[in-house]
Amino acid sequence: MSNEALELLEKTEGVLKGHFCLTSGLHSDIYFQCAKLYQYPEYTEKIAKLIVKSLEGVDFDTVISPAIGAVIIGYETAKQAGKRNLFVERKDGIMQLRRGYTLKKGEKVVIIEDVITTAKTINETIEAIKGFEPQIAAVGCIVDRTCGKTGLNIKSVLQIEPVTYEPDKCPLCAAGIPVIKPGSREGKENK
């Protein structure tokens, strides 16, 4: 775990404590709002350099990130690694590679995300590009809350043991603490 990354997230008020509904639909007492970090290009650059360091030994050509939350960190990571940068985005609720972006068959790709809890967005990103037949070299992120349960090759700056609850079993709900949904997506979807 990178103390520097956690310090930068805390310094920029990107670590929130309370009662949150995560993008996954799960509830938690901690939320990582990386958009707060992105207000400061110098800190975003530092975090991207840490992600690139975590990717040492991974051979890749291109960075792809899911819009909207990971576009900035994806771009900065690609910049620091000297690689091409693309992003996927939702159209009609489905993640797609658009804007004339293409990949070559066998192109080595690293998917960059901000926070991974269930990896649903990562899997949607993989689905969006699979028709091009790229090689997924790794997944990089700022915060990994998966505890290795995804089967993906995740390279993270921070690994956090998540404290999450199903909404119907949430002690924070039972205590009457109001729930906040600060994420970028509406509805109950996994990230």
Side-chain angles (χ1 to χ4, degrees):
M1 179 185 293
S2 168
N3 288 333
E4 181 181 9
L6 186 57
E7 287 169 12
L8 289 173
L9 282 164
E10 288 174 340
K11 183 176 186 176
T12 59
E13 299 177 0
V15 180
L16 309 176
K17 301 206 179 189
H19 181 193
F20 304 98
C21 179
L22 306 177
T23 307
S24 65
L26 299 173
H27 288 201
S28 182
D29 62 353
I30 189 167
Y31 188 86
F32 293 92
Q33 181 59 279
C34 294
K36 296 281 216 157
L37 174 82
Y38 303 153
Q39 297 176 95
Y40 306 97
E42 66 276 18
Y43 299 154
T44 304
E45 179 181 336
K46 286 180 181 182
I47 295 287
K49 285 179 178 179
L50 292 171
I51 292 172
V52 170
K53 185 175 181 181
S54 77
L55 292 167
E56 283 179 358
V58 175
D59 182 26
F60 66 102
D61 307 303
T62 303
V63 167
I64 296 182
S65 53
I68 187 167
V71 169
I72 292 172
I73 195 62
Y75 173 84
E76 189 62 33
T77 301
K79 178 181 170 188
Q80 296 305 319
K83 305 295 182 181
R84 183 166 78 122
N85 177 65
L86 306 175
F87 61 88
V88 295
E89 59 191 309
R90 289 189 191 285
K91 182 177 181 194
D92 301 324
I94 299 170
M95 203 63 90
Q96 300 175 28
L97 189 63
R98 302 179 61 214
R99 303 179 188 268
Y101 292 155
T102 62
L103 293 164
K104 295 178 183 140
K105 183 177 181 176
E107 189 167 343
K108 295 173 187 159
V109 171
V110 166
I111 299 171
I112 297 294
E113 177 63 292
D114 53 2
V115 179
I116 302 173
T117 302
T118 65
K120 183 171 186 219
T121 302
I122 297 299
N123 289 321
E124 289 176 313
T125 301
I126 292 168
E127 184 68 24
I129 63 175
K130 78 175 185 181
F132 295 100
E133 299 181 48
Q135 178 185 337
I136 308 300
V139 174
C141 65
I142 300 172
V143 182
D144 176 8
R145 295 177 66 142
T146 69
C147 294
K149 295 177 184 171
T150 64
L152 297 168
N153 181 17
I154 298 177
K155 309 290 187 182
S156 65
V157 176
L158 293 171
Q159 287 184 325
I160 303 293
E161 179 77 33
V163 176
T164 58
Y165 310 100
E166 291 292 336
D168 59 346
K169 297 176 184 165
C170 177
L172 303 169
C173 288
I177 300 169
V179 65
I180 300 166
K181 185 169 174 55
S184 61
R185 279 200 262 164
E186 296 298 320
K188 184 177 178 179
E189 298 179 13
N190 292 318
K191 184 170 189 182

